Amino acid sequence: MLKNVCVLLALVIVLVLGCQSEQETIRQAVAPKASTPLKASPDYRLGASDVLTVEVRGQPELTKTVVVRPDGKITLVLLDDVYVLGLTVQEVDDKLTRLYNEYIVNADVTVSVVGFNSKRIYVWGQVFRQGDQPFDGEMTLTDAIARAGGPNQRAETKSILLTRAGKVYKLNLYRIVIKGDTKDNVYLQDGDQIFVPPTVWARVGMALDNIFYPFRNLFAFLFLEREVEDVW
């Protein structure tokens, strides 16, 4: 009987250590990279509260950082109000170039997004930094999890849930990282919600914690009393 228990215990230990090793590999692969500024994708369309920097080469007095107002307009030197809501960065660049050409010969305009405030995605569950993230128009599942600090030690990486427009999809981060199958490394959309659930072992641990937590003071008192008795 004792031998069977020892064998079973050994198998459990091997299984747990194997899972921990795989989890560590995934955490390292999806570790947060060095912080780099977000850059608008070619398809990114401007929304209210986005922040733009507009530069006109050779005309430093025209360079300005502006916020897209709720009415969809920005205000620039010489041009006053310009409607940009729903346009891509390239479309805004082309539009401002045409407008500035009425005042400047061969105007060279550069537009960049420096604040992504109109579109967000959300990452919850077993990651190091839960919450919303700015969406730059080109972000994958692994990008979002990396920006959330990566999966923590309790993460179930084989059953990540993506909620989009009321529908829920199951994605497998384990398969992406360990197997090299990138099918589940989907491109995200504005408003997507990602939930990284806990493993079975983590759920058991959390359940036990909820059961015994109310009695923590009693246990502490009993152990303290035993120590006092042992001393005396």
Side-chain angles (χ1 to χ4, degrees), residues 1-18 201:
M1 179 67 178
L2 181 60
K3 181 178 179 181
N4 292 336
V5 171
C6 291
V7 171
L8 180 60
L9 181 60
L11 289 174
V12 170
I13 293 173
V14 169
L15 178 62
V16 170
L17 290 178
W201 295 106

Side-chain angles (χ1 to χ4, degrees), residues 219-232:
F219 291 148
F221 174 77
L222 292 175
F223 283 118
L224 178 62
E225 185 179 56
R226 175 64 182 275
E227 289 179 1
V228 171
E229 290 176 355
D230 288 344
V231 170
W232 288 100

Side-chain angles (χ1 to χ4, degrees), residues 196-209:
V196 182
T199 63
V200 173
W201 295 106
R203 289 198 293 269
V204 170
M206 288 186 283
L208 291 175
D209 186 58

Side-chain angles (χ1 to χ4, degrees), residues 119-151:
K119 299 174 178 61
R120 318 293 288 182
I121 61 99
Y122 306 86
V123 183
W124 310 105
Q126 304 306 311
V127 293
F128 287 100
R129 292 191 298 272
Q130 299 186 75
D132 63 326
Q133 301 177 13
F135 178 67
D136 60 4
E138 189 169 341
M139 183 187 298
T140 64
L141 173 71
T142 54
D143 291 334
I145 293 177
R147 290 174 186 172

Side-chain angles (χ1 to χ4, degrees), residues 150-210:
N152 63 27
Q153 293 84 351
R154 297 185 297 184
E156 173 51 82
T157 56
K158 294 181 180 179
S159 300
I160 293 176
L161 303 179
L162 168 65
T163 302
R164 173 181 295 170
K167 294 183 178 181
V168 180
Y169 305 88
K170 183 181 289 187
L171 302 174
N172 193 324
L173 183 63
Y174 169 89
R175 189 161 55 206
I176 295 170
V177 175
I178 302 298
K179 303 296 185 181
D181 183 354
T182 59
K183 179 182 65 175
D184 282 0
N185 196 23
V186 297
Y187 280 95
L188 302 178
Q189 298 178 9
D190 179 30
D192 280 353
Q193 297 190 41
I194 298 166
F195 176 67
V196 182
T199 63
V200 173
W201 295 106
R203 289 198 293 269
V204 170
M206 288 186 283
L208 291 175
D209 186 58
N210 289 334

Side-chain angles (χ1 to χ4, degrees), residues 9-107:
L9 181 60
L11 289 174
V12 170
I13 293 173
V14 169
L15 178 62
V16 170
L17 290 178
C19 291
Q20 288 180 340
S21 176
E22 290 178 349
Q23 291 289 81
E24 184 60 30
T25 300
I26 293 172
R27 279 195 293 274
Q28 290 178 1
V30 193
K33 307 298 188 298
S35 179
T36 56
L38 295 178
K39 183 178 180 180
S41 71
D43 296 327
Y44 184 84
R45 295 194 174 273
L46 298 175
S49 299
D50 282 340
V51 184
L52 309 179
T53 293
V54 178
E55 299 178 79
V56 182
R57 186 177 180 182
Q59 306 289 334
E61 69 279 4
L62 300 182
T63 294
K64 193 173 182 181
T65 298
V66 293
V67 178
V68 180
R69 303 195 304 262
D71 63 2
K73 297 178 180 179
I74 58 175
T75 301
L76 298 169
V77 180
L78 293 182
L79 305 182
D80 293 329
D81 289 347
V82 180
Y83 191 82
V84 299
L85 188 70
L87 301 181
T88 66
V89 173
Q90 186 59 56
E91 288 170 344
V92 175
D93 196 304
D94 294 340
K95 184 173 185 176
L96 296 184
T97 298
R98 289 195 304 271
L99 294 173
Y100 273 122
N101 273 333
E102 297 178 9
Y103 303 92
I104 303 168
V105 177
N106 296 324

